[in-house]
């Protein structure tokens, strides 16, 4: 995400300055997660606003300033290097370069504030969510090694031994797509989706919902409902075999990890590509095993995205058929 947006890399071998910047970036992400989690509690318990609201408001302002300052450094760097004014034709441009070039044409709309707001929303919405989905997927695969073997066999049959998997191959890996769907069914990134608000009075299931009511959709409960899904607590990617390649509503609104309608998550396609390519690469390049005979702990922790309570720890070994390709990276 950071490379796509600003040409930044915050992993691997970093020099002193880059390592310090990566640490500040990590702190900004963690602080943002913290204030969002706290705000959700007050949203659902509004009577406590008088007690904690002011303190949380100050915390929000502090974190937002850190986010703004961090993103402003990116913008200032592009301006100083002359990379936001249309230079470098024919080369791949980052999102910030494109936005800054649009700012030259329409400065009243593409203000620094607008660019920072959009960038922060994309970064926050696209980092932890994809990582947590991949962690759940790998945990499920390690607890079901026959499914992991089947996915590896599919990738080998499509890729052969000549090259590593790339993004254009994802549409050919139908079983991998089933694994991703089943992971998102059992562990949707946002179990309650994003909060909505009723635009007018309405009746839902016999209950009157006043205008202006904050609404949450328990998509986890829908996607794990035994009245809708056969054995919902079992990891069965095969249940999606023969279905459409993209995630659509199944039998109404029973499978919607990204929401539905015009308020559907705009980053769905990007997320599926990132998760798909990462999972395919890990499965193709390494043999995976649990660290012991016990199953991977699948308990969830609190928070807006309900990540794993215990981070995944696993053993891996480079596969001989891709060792040459990995050495060339």
């Amino acid at each position: 995400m950071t490379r796509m947006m600003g040409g930044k890399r915050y992993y691997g071998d970093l020099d002193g300055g880059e390592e310090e910047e990566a640490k500040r970036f990590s702190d900004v992400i963690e602080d943002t997660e913290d204030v969002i989690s706290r705000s959700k509690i007050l949203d659902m318990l509004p009577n406590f606003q008088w007690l904690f609201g002011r303190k949380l408001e100050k915390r929000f302002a502090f974190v937002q300033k850190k986010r703004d300052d961090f993103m402003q450094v990116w913008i200032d760097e592009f301006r100083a290097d002359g990379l936001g004014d249309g230079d470098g034709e024919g080369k791949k441009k980052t999102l910030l370069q494109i936005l800054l070039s649009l700012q030259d044409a329409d400065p009243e709309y593409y203000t620094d504030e607008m660019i920072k707001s959009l960038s922060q929303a994309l970064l926050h919405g696209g980092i932890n969510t994809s990582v947590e989905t991949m962690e759940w997927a790998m945990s499920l695969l390690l607890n079901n090694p026959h499914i992991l073997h089947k996915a590896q066999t599919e990738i080998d049959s499509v890729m052969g031994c000549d090259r590593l998997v790339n993004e254009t191959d994802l549409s050919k890996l139908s079983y991998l797509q089933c694994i991703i769907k089943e992971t998102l069914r059992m562990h949707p990134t946002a179990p309650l989706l994003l909060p909505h608000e009723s635009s007018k009075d309405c009746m839902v299931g016999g209950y009157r919902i006043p205008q202006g009511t904050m609404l949450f959709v328990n998509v986890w409960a829908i996607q794990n409902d035994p009245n809708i899904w056969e054995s919902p607590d079992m990891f069965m990617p095969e249940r999606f075999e023969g279905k459409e390649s993209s995630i659509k509503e199944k039998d109404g609104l029973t499978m919607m990890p990204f929401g539905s309608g015009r308020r559907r998550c705009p980053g769905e396609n990007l997320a599926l590509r990132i998760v798909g390519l990462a999972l395919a690469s890990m499965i193709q390049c390494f043999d995976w095993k649990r660290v012991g005979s016990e199953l991977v702990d699948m308990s969830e922790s609190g928070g807006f995205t309900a990540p794993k309570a215990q981070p995944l720890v696993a053993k891996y070994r480079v596969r001989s058929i891709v060792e040459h390709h990995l050495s060339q990276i």
Side-chain angles (χ1 to χ4, degrees):
M1 289 294 292
T2 57
R3 291 178 69 183
M4 178 183 71
M5 297 187 64
K8 300 283 188 176
R9 182 171 65 89
Y10 292 140
Y11 62 90
D13 295 329
L14 304 173
D15 60 31
E18 291 175 330
E19 189 172 351
E20 182 180 341
E21 186 176 347
K23 177 64 168 62
R24 285 192 286 117
F25 176 74
S26 179
D27 289 343
V28 167
I29 295 296
E30 290 180 8
D31 288 345
T32 303
E33 285 285 341
D34 176 61
V35 295
I36 288 180
S37 297
R38 295 188 191 189
S39 69
K40 296 302 178 187
I41 296 175
L42 289 185
D43 285 340
M44 288 182 272
L45 299 171
N47 290 338
F48 286 88
Q49 286 279 1
W50 66 271
L51 184 60
F52 301 109
R54 184 58 181 168
K55 182 177 180 180
L56 182 60
E57 196 174 304
K58 290 182 178 179
R59 175 68 175 162
F60 254 118
F62 173 75
V63 172
Q64 184 57 37
K65 187 176 187 308
K66 284 182 66 175
R67 286 156 52 100
D68 273 356
D69 291 347
F70 187 89
M71 193 57 61
Q72 189 65 53
V73 171
W74 279 18
I75 293 174
D76 292 343
E77 286 179 358
F78 278 118
R79 286 207 179 103
D81 294 337
L83 298 177
D85 55 7
D87 289 343
E89 291 297 330
K91 297 181 180 179
K92 291 182 179 180
K93 293 186 177 181
T94 66
L95 178 63
L96 277 179
Q97 284 177 281
I98 294 171
L99 290 174
L100 287 172
S101 65
L102 292 171
Q103 187 182 64
D104 292 339
D106 190 358
E108 292 188 6
Y109 180 78
Y110 292 96
T111 62
D112 279 8
E113 288 69 25
M114 178 272 194
I115 293 174
K116 287 187 290 186
S117 177
L118 175 61
S119 301
Q120 289 166 8
L122 291 173
L123 281 173
H124 182 72
I127 294 179
N128 287 355
T129 50
S130 296
V131 171
E132 289 168 9
T133 298
M134 286 184 271
E135 189 175 24
W136 280 118
M138 287 302 300
S139 300
L140 289 163
L141 289 171
L142 287 168
N143 282 348
N144 298 271
H146 65 288
I147 296 178
L148 176 58
H149 176 72
K150 185 175 178 179
Q152 197 172 67
T153 301
E154 178 189 57
I155 294 173
D156 289 347
S157 66
V158 173
M159 299 298 103
C161 303
D162 298 329
R163 61 183 178 85
L164 297 178
V165 66
N166 59 51
E167 185 180 332
T168 61
D169 299 316
L170 296 180
S171 60
K172 308 170 190 173
L173 302 174
S174 58
Y175 192 65
L176 177 74
Q177 299 301 325
C178 293
I179 289 172
I180 296 172
K181 292 178 191 176
E182 180 70 341
T183 301
L184 289 170
R185 182 193 67 79
M186 298 182 73
H187 300 282
T189 303
L192 299 178
L193 298 182
L194 293 176
H196 293 68
E197 183 177 295
S198 53
S199 57
K200 60 182 179 181
D201 292 354
C202 59
M203 296 291 293
V204 178
Y207 292 92
R208 176 180 173 272
I209 309 297
Q211 178 183 354
T213 302
M214 182 176 290
L215 307 172
F216 290 91
V217 176
N218 192 340
V219 73
W220 181 92
I222 295 171
Q223 295 180 176
N224 287 269
D225 187 347
N227 296 318
I228 301 173
W229 302 89
E230 178 185 352
S231 304
D233 57 337
M234 293 185 63
F235 182 56
M236 298 191 305
E238 288 77 8
R239 74 174 82 238
F240 288 102
E241 286 186 329
K243 302 293 188 298
E244 296 180 32
S245 59
S246 58
I247 295 179
K248 301 293 184 183
E249 291 82 1
K250 174 183 176 295
D251 301 326
L253 298 174
T254 60
M255 179 65 184
M256 47 179 179
F258 294 96
S260 180
R262 63 178 181 173
R263 304 297 185 191
R264 193 183 186 95
C265 174
E268 175 181 350
N269 289 332
L270 176 61
L272 292 175
R273 280 172 167 76
I274 290 175
V275 172
L277 183 57
L279 275 180
S281 299
M282 288 190 287
I283 294 171
Q284 181 191 26
C285 295
F286 307 102
D287 286 320
W288 296 88
K289 290 185 178 180
R290 300 192 296 265
V291 294
S293 58
E294 302 84 6
L295 293 177
V296 174
D297 185 355
M298 300 299 287
S299 57
E300 301 172 346
S301 67
F304 176 68
T305 57
K308 281 174 57 64
Q310 300 296 328
L312 175 62
V313 179
K315 295 190 295 185
Y316 71 92
R317 182 177 60 187
V318 177
R319 301 179 69 206
S320 58
I321 64 172
V322 298
E323 197 166 4
H324 170 72
H325 301 300
L326 291 178
S327 67
Q328 304 301 312
I329 298 177

